Amino acid sequence: MSETIVSLPDQETASIPKMNYLSKENGLLSWLLTSDHKRIAILYLISISFFFFIGGSLAALIRLELLTPQSDLMATDTYNKVFSMHGIVMVFFFLVPSVPATLGNFFLPMMLGAKDLALPKVNLLSWYLYMVAGVLALYSMAAGGVDTGWTFTTPLSTHYVNTHVITTGMAIFVAGFSSIFTGLNFIVTIHKMRAPGMTWFRMPLFIWAHYAASILMVLGTPVLAIALVLVVLERTVGIGVFDPAKGGDPLLFQHLFWFYSHPAVYIMILPGMGVISEVISTFSRKRVFGYTAVAFSSVAIAVFGFFVWAHHMFIMGISSYSVLVFSLLTMLVAVPSAIKIFNWAFTLYKGSITFETPMLYAFGFMGLFTIGGMTGVFLGTSGTDIHLTETYFIVAHFHFVMVGGMLMAFLAGLHFWWPKMTGRMYPEKISQLAALITFIGFNFTFFPQFILGTLGMPRRYASYPAEFQVLNVLSTAGASILGVGYLLPVFYLLWSLKYGAIAGENPWQATGLEWQTQSPPLTENFTEIPVMDHEAYDYEWLERQKEKEVPSVG
Amino acid sequence: MDHISQVLWQFLVKWLTNFALFPPEASKIAPQMDALYFFIVLVSLIGLTIVVLLITSFSVLYSKRRHPVAVQIEGSTLLEATWTIIPLGLFLMMFVWGALIYFRVYTPPANAMNIYVVGKQWMWKAEHPGGQHEINSLHVPTGQPVQLTLISQDVFHSFSIPAFRVKREAIPGRYTTVWFEPTVPGTYHLFCTQYCGTEHSHMIGDVVVMTPEDYKKWLASSTSGMSLAQNGERLFASLSCTACHNTRPDARGPSLANVYGATLTLTSGQRITADDAYLREAILNPSQHITQGYAPIMPTYQGQVSEEGVFALVEYIKHLDSDYRVQQTTATTTLLPESEGAAAKPASAQREVKP
Amino acid sequence: MSDSTVITYDAQAGEEHEHPSYQRHHFETIGQQNDATNFAMWLFLLTEIMFFGGLFTAYLIYRNWYYPAFVAASHQLDIFWGGLNTLLLITSSFTMAMGVWSAEMRKQGALVLCLTLTFVLGLGFLGIKTIEYREKFEKHHVPGLHYSVQSFTNPASDPEIEREYRDKPLPPDMATHTELYFFLYFAMTGMHALHMIIGICILGFMIVRARAGAYTGGHLAFVENFGLYWHFVDIVWIFLFPLLYLISRHQ
């Protein structure tokens, strides 16, 4: 693909701007006590990457065990701990904060034309809460881990295991507050700190997506918090709230847990969808098709997302009439996601498309999220859910949307904004290769799991009937390829910090206020607050800017 | 040429069965569910194809090389409406179809034969009405609707028979039910699909579907001589239930003859149908389930009788169809000093056995 | 758009500091700052509602299922203390509101007085809660700590309550459900008390700052926003009191 829209300054004379948010102050304390949203974003980036690789190692262990039908690589108890910790680390310590806490923290204020988030100190507190939670979780893992699954089903978690439920529960509780404060900060910033002229419908769709996700964070996470508190109380004091022998109801925990955990999946995916909007627009040089529809669909997903939680409980003995209601609402929540996919596809129509790495990840997202989303429909349809629930079909479904969807979107965003955050370009060829490897590895890993699920293989099984082995081996083979695809960026991104090309202000020639300042940005983002006098994704405005601009010397 | 094609055919069959994409269809509902499943597969494939076609064709037609200047398009209400309404319509169709199947799976026909299943870490115990017990297996006949009444002794489990396309959670504290009608004899997988602790992956077994004749033979050979109801009767007597639940005019509790399926009025004024769940609750949490007109003096048997014991009692009460039957039970003296939860009071309370 | 030829720019050097000292640099005007922090507090209170919501849900369900147990257990709570606590808390909301007004009017003495009164009333509330909790402990009504259902299966063993309510004895299986009531009682009032303690600590800090004149120079956002928090804690109690104390009190 020799056609590219990359426009870099003359590499002979270009250099990183001397004054930027990275060089402003030095020393560990200047980072640990910073209130600069960009530095906090980098702190988060390092932390979540760390936890991603922990979760990934646990995944490798799972796939290795499942190479053979017998439970022979590790004790069954150990396997149970491994998949539990994999889920907990990936969901709470990687997926939930991934885009919002890194890219959202970094770019939300800049896209709005603000100098920081509304509550910078609270932002730093969020990171510290995340780190405290992370340390607790690591301690819990080191001390023997937890084997309840990430779903902490009662009464198993309250009365029938001897593992570190309380420590892990507390870790998630604290991480939850980190998430709540991030969401709170975003909502206040979006409402109160938009630059002059930045109306709601001039905001980039990335912001709309984060707004919707923040509503979910703020309203849903506290319910998880109280559910975990109740589990801890039940374990320590024995209050009986989930214990049938004392009149309690274990199904109450399910309702409280899923009331958060379903919106949680939208917390995880919406920011990724925001990234895709930005990337597709930039690399087709076009305003996103149906801006208003995409904006409203994000909010619709957030609103509807609160009313579908019991589709995780269709076979648990809830009344058939509840099943009807929740199944219907689940169908309704599927529609906005479909709308987005088509809107993104039609953004390509009559565009001018190039295929840099972020765009490749975005295409991967669109295909894989479509599959993941459609398989969600299998599960929201109550009839087929009976056969498919609690099997590998579920595992495949959520990995398609979370890994094929969200993680790809995160990588798209990371590559897209890498030049802005660091001032340097990543190496294009190897990153395209990594994207391809990831896509191939992903499909080999998770597509066989749909078939396994339909055949009936249950989830969370350390050993399985021999007839399922071929598909499991295929899945593990794919996982090894996928692992390579995820490791490559670590190396080349770190390499680029020293040897990457100087990016300049706007290497992608993107619209968006964050691209109209230097790379890396100043601590205060803008020397003076910009006035937003054009629509979002206004490429004609960008053309006019370029004509006016004096060529700069970095 | 003949035998070559035969070899190929055998290979094909072996290949297909080894590379099955879905489990065998061994129940009446299985093909119905598979039909919906394949419809959704079809819709998904079409949807995916459309999306992939759009992306690839637009990428080719409008690559920067071929189409250097983008045309700014705000949107199209018509297109938006199209790709909102068509997916919504399809999803709603699936919703309705799925709901019909769901109701079908969880609404047993009146002539379903009931088998009780208790799940506990880490095994399944099935109790047939004829008194046959099974562990980690379930023998059922073809052509006969079978209802399973499930409960867990400890944590959540889930009873799954992929070949029948049925699955139901077994929950501590309440009954759940599911039914199926097997159609093809054979042995099929039985899985626990709700993570339940260390041996979750070993809480598996076999569902053996037999022709009705074979099934009768199996029943005859596996029985202990006492039906489940008879076991229940013994338990009923040994737990001193007859002290209050007898046919005497001054009995402190209602006679339970024909109570199963009847509509009762409770002391709170609420009218309920005396089904399995009610009977279980009445044994374990009696004070909220007292029939109107009786004093709330029934003690709770929580902790004194296991879920299997409750199954036996419920089965007994289900078949209690006459006062004569009640008197027969009342006449039974305590037989089992070591029976389940024999917290039986000494004989003094139940000496009165005059019909 | 500013051209990007200017390389070295010191944000502090060229800027004119026209804004009040208490305006943070990322806000354009003090009005924006006050707006934002106020909105943030309202949002935070919304999350608190969701947090308590889980407990209210559990209460709803179990009260519906085990009404007789809830009635009998609720009779164990003393309306006198509960009512007094309600009075104290409502009064403290009043003194808090007066404090906000004093800050607006820049009356430092009045502000300190109001904050101190609020502080004292809050402490009083907690003191009464300690008395109540202690009584529960003595009667073995704390779930998980040698919980005893004797007061419910045999009301005659509890002469005070018996005299007042003449409750019938509960059957044993219903009596075990009183433990659920008490778990809810302790969880809900305990969570509430925790929020009170946090509020009181912040009040202490505020009194010190108020005496130094921090809030009477025109910058009272902290007092206002804390006032919102305090009122919220009060409102939660207004819900807790009837739900926990006033179940079927009519004779």
Side-chain angles (χ1 to χ4, degrees):
Chain A
M1 322 270 184
S2 58
E3 291 294 335
T4 174
I5 53 165
V6 174
S7 151
L8 300 177
D10 177 8
Q11 293 297 304
E12 301 292 307
T13 51
S15 67
I16 305 279
K18 280 212 174 35
M19 197 65 175
N20 60 60
Y21 78 98
L22 291 167
S23 65
K24 173 117 191 233
E25 292 172 287
N26 284 317
L28 191 61
L29 272 185
S30 76
W31 279 86
L32 293 180
L33 296 177
T34 183
S35 51
D36 178 2
H37 65 103
K38 298 181 291 301
R39 286 193 167 202
I40 295 174
I42 301 294
L43 288 173
Y44 262 114
L45 181 59
I46 299 170
S47 327
I48 64 158
S49 302
F50 172 74
F51 279 104
F52 174 70
F53 284 104
I54 299 221
S57 311
L58 292 167
L61 284 172
I62 294 175
R63 287 304 338 152
L64 281 174
E65 170 65 82
L66 293 178
L67 272 173
T68 58
Q70 304 82 14
S71 173
D72 46 11
L73 184 66
M74 56 187 101
T76 321
D77 266 335
T78 310
Y79 179 81
N80 294 340
K81 291 176 183 176
V82 168
F83 75 66
S84 302
M85 300 306 309
H86 167 73
I88 291 168
V89 165
M90 284 309 205
V91 168
F92 295 111
F93 293 95
F94 176 70
L95 284 168
V96 166
S98 61
V99 168
T102 57
L103 302 171
N105 257 333
F106 204 108
F107 293 107
L108 198 121
M110 295 188 73
M111 288 179 174
L112 290 177
K115 288 186 169 157
D116 204 319
L117 288 175
L119 306 165
K121 292 264 177 351
V122 172
N123 198 11
L124 185 64
L125 175 67
S126 268
W127 183 72
Y128 275 108
L129 287 174
Y130 174 86
M131 292 306 285
V132 166
V135 166
L136 272 174
L138 286 172
Y139 163 73
S140 162
M141 269 193 281
V146 84
D147 61 346
T148 56
W150 82 276
T151 45
F152 288 95
T153 309
T154 58
L156 181 70
S157 61
T158 49
H159 294 94
Y160 289 91
V161 294
N162 286 336
T163 50
H164 297 267
V165 175
I166 296 179
T167 321
T168 314
M170 286 195 323
I172 298 173
F173 181 92
V174 174
F177 276 94
S178 166
S179 182
I180 291 174
F181 289 140
T182 299
L184 198 144
N185 228 336
F186 284 178
I187 295 179
V188 178
T189 310
I190 294 171
H191 273 269
K192 300 293 178 188
M193 292 181 72
R194 297 189 310 276
M198 173 79 74
T199 62
W200 280 81
F201 292 99
R202 282 181 174 173
M203 299 195 306
L205 289 166
F206 181 86
I207 309 275
W208 276 101
H210 278 75
Y211 184 66
S214 300
I215 295 176
L216 293 168
M217 278 188 238
V218 157
L219 293 181
T221 320
V223 181
L224 175 73
I226 198 73
L228 291 171
V229 165
L230 291 178
V231 167
V232 169
L233 284 178
E234 180 84 312
R235 265 187 89 82
T236 48
V237 172
I239 49 183
V241 62
F242 301 130
D243 183 1
K246 289 188 171 170
D249 187 8
L251 230 50
L252 175 63
F253 175 80
Q254 293 296 310
H255 283 287
L256 289 174
F257 179 82
W258 288 113
F259 186 83
Y260 163 73
S261 298
H262 187 82
V265 314
Y266 299 120
I267 292 175
M268 295 187 252
I269 197 71
L270 277 167
M273 290 173 157
V275 170
I276 299 299
S277 290
E278 301 302 312
V279 168
I280 298 252
S281 168
T282 304
F283 293 93
S284 14
R285 319 299 302 150
K286 271 192 65 190
R287 180 172 164 84
V288 174
F289 188 95
Y291 171 100
T292 322
V294 178
F296 279 136
S297 68
S298 298
V299 179
I301 291 175
V303 171
F304 279 114
F306 266 116
F307 298 112
V308 299
W309 76 88
H311 68 218
H312 299 267
M313 303 162 62
F314 277 163
I315 66 162
M316 283 192 188
I318 61 175
S319 82
S320 298
Y321 301 103
S322 307
V323 169
L324 269 181
V325 168
F326 281 102
S327 177
L328 179 62
L329 287 164
T330 305
M331 296 304 157
L332 295 182
V333 83
V335 174
S337 299
I339 291 175
K340 282 182 196 275
I341 293 281
F342 286 115
N343 274 293
W344 289 324
F346 270 85
T347 306
L348 301 171
Y349 176 69
K350 294 213 170 153
S352 170
I353 304 169
T354 50
F355 303 94
E356 287 83 345
T357 305
M359 194 59 155
L360 292 182
Y361 277 117
F363 283 166
F365 175 98
M366 287 178 68
L368 297 176
F369 182 78
T370 302
I371 300 177
M374 281 309 304
T375 53
V377 175
F378 282 85
L379 301 167
T381 304
S382 51
T384 41
D385 186 65
I386 297 174
H387 176 58
L388 298 171
T389 193
E390 297 174 348
T391 67
Y392 259 83
F393 197 92
I394 301 257
V395 177
H397 160 71
F398 66 69
H399 282 93
F400 259 82
V401 282
M402 287 298 126
V403 180
M406 182 56 210
L407 182 49
M408 288 224 144
F410 174 71
L411 288 169
L414 190 62
H415 286 77
F416 183 60
W417 278 296
W418 188 258
K420 178 56 61 179
M421 292 193 285
T422 62
R424 294 201 180 259
M425 290 298 285
Y426 58 83
E428 184 65 39
K429 287 286 163 241
I430 190 171
S431 61
Q432 285 177 329
L433 179 67
L436 193 61
I437 293 175
T438 309
F439 184 79
I440 294 173
F442 176 86
N443 278 301
F444 272 110
T445 310
F446 291 107
F447 201 86
Q449 294 183 5
F450 281 127
I451 304 173
L452 279 170
T454 309
L455 287 171
M457 178 171 171
R459 56 184 295 203
R460 298 170 164 170
Y461 262 33
S463 63
Y464 53 83
E467 73 235 45
F468 295 141
Q469 182 170 23
V470 171
L471 288 166
N472 270 294
V473 170
L474 191 55
S475 179
T476 303
S480 53
I481 301 173
L482 191 60
V484 171
Y486 289 143
L487 277 173
L488 279 174
V490 176
F491 294 117
Y492 67 68
L493 287 176
L494 286 175
W495 175 92
S496 78
L497 288 177
K498 192 137 193 251
Y499 301 108
I502 307 284
E505 199 178 271
N506 194 354
W508 308 120
Q509 300 176 73
T511 60
L513 291 176
E514 78 272 22
W515 296 106
Q516 317 311 324
T517 71
Q518 61 179 64
S519 308
L522 293 166
T523 300
E524 65 274 19
N525 298 337
F526 305 100
T527 53
E528 47 182 74
I529 296 295
V531 174
M532 188 71 172
D533 53 6
H534 56 276
E535 301 302 309
Y537 314 110
D538 194 339
Y539 290 90
E540 280 147 12
W541 169 84
L542 191 65
E543 281 302 310
R544 293 196 297 272
Q545 293 307 112
K546 281 214 301 225
E547 284 155 23
K548 279 197 282 183
E549 217 168 61
V550 177
S552 68
V553 192
Chain B
M1 286 305 283
D2 249 356
H3 69 266
I4 293 179
S5 61
Q6 227 181 37
V7 165
L8 277 175
W9 175 247
Q10 281 179 348
F11 182 73
L12 194 64
V13 167
K14 184 159 194 257
W15 206 75
L16 278 176
T17 41
N18 272 326
F19 287 88
L21 291 177
F22 56 93
E25 290 176 345
S27 75
K28 245 178 89 174
I29 196 87
Q32 297 174 26
M33 194 184 287
D34 283 352
L36 173 57
Y37 176 83
F38 286 117
F39 173 71
I40 306 179
V41 169
L42 186 65
V43 171
S44 309
L45 277 176
I46 294 177
L48 181 66
T49 310
I50 293 177
V51 170
V52 170
L53 267 176
L54 284 173
I55 296 177
T56 32
S57 59
F58 288 163
S59 298
V60 166
L61 286 169
Y62 302 111
S63 69
K64 180 162 191 257
R65 200 191 319 244
R66 282 169 83 136
H67 196 256
V69 179
V71 175
Q72 298 301 325
I73 305 173
E74 179 61 33
S76 154
T77 317
L78 176 63
L79 276 176
E80 299 281 356
T82 312
W83 61 56
T84 306
I85 294 179
I86 294 183
L88 182 62
L90 287 167
F91 295 160
L92 287 177
M93 208 183 342
M94 294 168 198
F95 157 70
V96 171
W97 191 348
L100 285 172
I101 294 193
Y102 184 91
F103 272 89
R104 237 174 263 165
V105 171
Y106 291 125
T107 314
N111 64 335
M113 128 193 154
N114 191 52
I115 301 178
Y116 297 95
V117 177
V118 69
K120 43 177 141 176
Q121 286 176 323
W122 287 279
M123 61 163 160
W124 296 105
K125 270 184 88 167
E127 318 241 331
H128 293 252
Q132 298 81 359
H133 299 290
E134 302 192 72
I135 293 190
N136 288 336
S137 71
L138 184 67
H139 285 73
V140 284
T142 56
Q144 158 79 41
V146 175
Q147 177 184 257
L148 298 179
T149 302
L150 299 156
I151 194 166
S152 164
Q153 188 87 55
D154 39 42
V155 299
F156 277 40
H157 300 278
S158 190
F159 195 86
S160 163
I161 310 174
F164 292 176
R165 309 290 189 277
V166 297
K167 186 184 284 130
R168 190 54 139 168
E169 209 84 352
I171 300 174
R174 55 157 75 94
Y175 288 149
T176 51
T177 61
V178 68
W179 80 277
F180 48 80
E181 183 178 323
T183 49
V184 180
T187 306
Y188 307 103
H189 284 299
L190 162 63
F191 292 128
C192 170
T193 55
Q194 178 62 253
Y195 175 66
C196 52
T198 309
E199 295 295 316
H200 168 60
S201 10
H202 297 128
M203 196 162 158
I204 64 177
D206 291 318
V207 176
V208 181
V209 178
M210 315 172 109
T211 60
E213 303 77 47
D214 286 339
Y215 182 66
K216 278 204 195 62
K217 286 199 212 111
W218 176 83
L219 281 177
S221 65
S222 320
T223 182
S224 59
M226 300 271 279
S227 74
L228 193 59
Q230 284 172 316
N231 277 326
E233 182 177 20
R234 286 158 60 180
L235 198 51
F236 193 85
S238 71
L239 289 172
S240 315
C241 310
T242 50
C244 302
H245 293 289
N246 52 57
T247 52
R248 285 159 45 92
D250 61 345
R252 286 171 289 194
S255 161
L256 299 180
N258 293 311
V259 75
Y260 185 72
T263 312
L264 301 175
T265 310
L266 304 180
T267 41
S268 59
Q270 204 190 350
R271 290 174 69 80
I272 52 94
T273 311
D275 56 8
D276 293 49
Y278 170 76
L279 291 178
R280 178 177 177 280
E281 283 293 305
I283 296 169
L284 299 177
N285 294 303
S287 60
Q288 290 169 282
H289 300 89
I290 304 287
T291 316
Q292 207 169 56
Y294 291 92
I297 52 165
M298 174 166 166
T300 174
Y301 286 88
Q302 182 103 48
Q304 295 178 52
V305 59
S306 71
E307 296 295 347
E308 286 117 290
V310 177
F311 279 151
L313 290 168
V314 167
E315 183 72 1
Y316 161 67
I317 297 171
K318 269 191 199 174
H319 292 90
L320 205 47
D321 54 1
S322 65
D323 281 353
Y324 173 68
R325 198 76 210 85
V326 176
Q327 289 155 12
Q328 291 243 292
T329 309
T330 318
T332 313
T333 52
T334 33
L335 293 173
L336 314 153
E338 284 296 312
S339 72
E340 298 183 292
K345 293 199 255 338
S348 53
Q350 67 215 44
R351 199 65 84 178
E352 66 272 50
V353 291
K354 306 288 171 294
Chain C
M1 286 306 276
S2 58
D3 62 68
S4 35
T5 49
V6 179
I7 309 167
T8 54
Y9 181 87
D10 189 332
Q12 235 100 347
E15 210 172 287
E16 287 172 20
H17 276 58
E18 280 178 358
H19 57 79
S21 60
Y22 47 82
Q23 180 181 327
R24 305 293 315 287
H25 277 116
H26 58 287
F27 289 112
E28 288 303 295
T29 65
I30 191 67
Q32 188 188 38
Q33 175 172 317
N34 288 341
D35 225 3
T37 51
N38 188 250
F39 185 58
M41 179 52 82
W42 278 106
L43 261 181
F44 175 70
L45 296 179
L46 191 55
T47 72
E48 294 277 46
I49 294 178
M50 297 306 292
F51 187 64
F52 276 94
L55 288 174
F56 278 98
T57 309
Y59 173 92
L60 246 171
I61 294 172
Y62 291 135
R63 172 176 164 159
N64 196 290
W65 287 0
Y66 307 128
Y67 187 67
F70 271 52
V71 169
S74 167
H75 290 171
Q76 287 288 327
L77 299 184
D78 195 339
I79 291 225
F80 171 72
W81 291 126
L84 182 57
N85 257 349
T86 311
L87 192 62
L88 286 182
L89 215 47
I90 295 184
T91 312
S92 78
S93 257
F94 174 69
T95 55
M96 188 66 218
M98 290 309 296
V100 174
W101 177 84
S102 312
E104 277 174 34
M105 296 295 125
R106 313 213 182 192
K107 291 175 189 283
Q108 184 172 339
L111 172 63
V112 174
L113 176 63
C114 288
L115 290 178
T116 313
L117 280 175
T118 313
F119 184 90
V120 167
L121 288 167
L123 277 181
F125 178 94
L126 289 177
I128 293 178
K129 273 249 96 31
T130 321
I131 297 176
E132 287 185 287
Y133 278 12
R134 177 120 174 271
E135 195 206 351
K136 297 283 154 293
F137 179 73
E138 278 161 5
K139 279 178 149 185
H140 296 284
H141 287 155
V142 180
L145 287 177
H146 308 291
Y147 186 81
S148 156
V149 297
Q150 214 204 358
S151 325
F152 309 107
T153 48
N154 182 14
S157 65
D158 198 345
E160 287 176 13
I161 310 286
E162 161 105 279
R163 222 178 308 125
E164 208 179 327
Y165 297 105
R166 283 180 285 277
D167 280 330
K168 289 213 214 56
L170 285 181
D173 58 298
M174 183 55 80
T176 54
H177 300 324
T178 55
E179 192 170 4
L180 276 174
Y181 170 87
F182 279 107
F183 132 66
L184 282 164
Y185 169 77
F186 280 104
M188 292 165 101
T189 58
M191 197 56 76
H192 177 260
L194 182 63
H195 283 78
M196 290 275 307
I197 293 172
I198 294 173
I200 288 172
C201 290
I202 299 180
L203 264 172
F205 165 78
M206 276 170 56
I207 292 171
V208 170
R209 298 286 297 138
R211 292 176 73 183
Y215 307 121
T216 35
H219 176 51
L220 55 135
F222 196 96
V223 180
E224 272 181 335
N225 290 334
F226 178 80
L228 280 178
Y229 174 82
W230 193 257
H231 295 314
F232 171 77
V233 176
D234 184 18
I235 289 181
V236 171
W237 177 260
I238 306 279
F239 276 87
L240 291 185
F241 177 62
L243 286 179
L244 292 172
Y245 286 77
L246 302 181
I247 306 181
S248 186
R249 287 277 173 168
H250 55 82
Q251 297 309 321

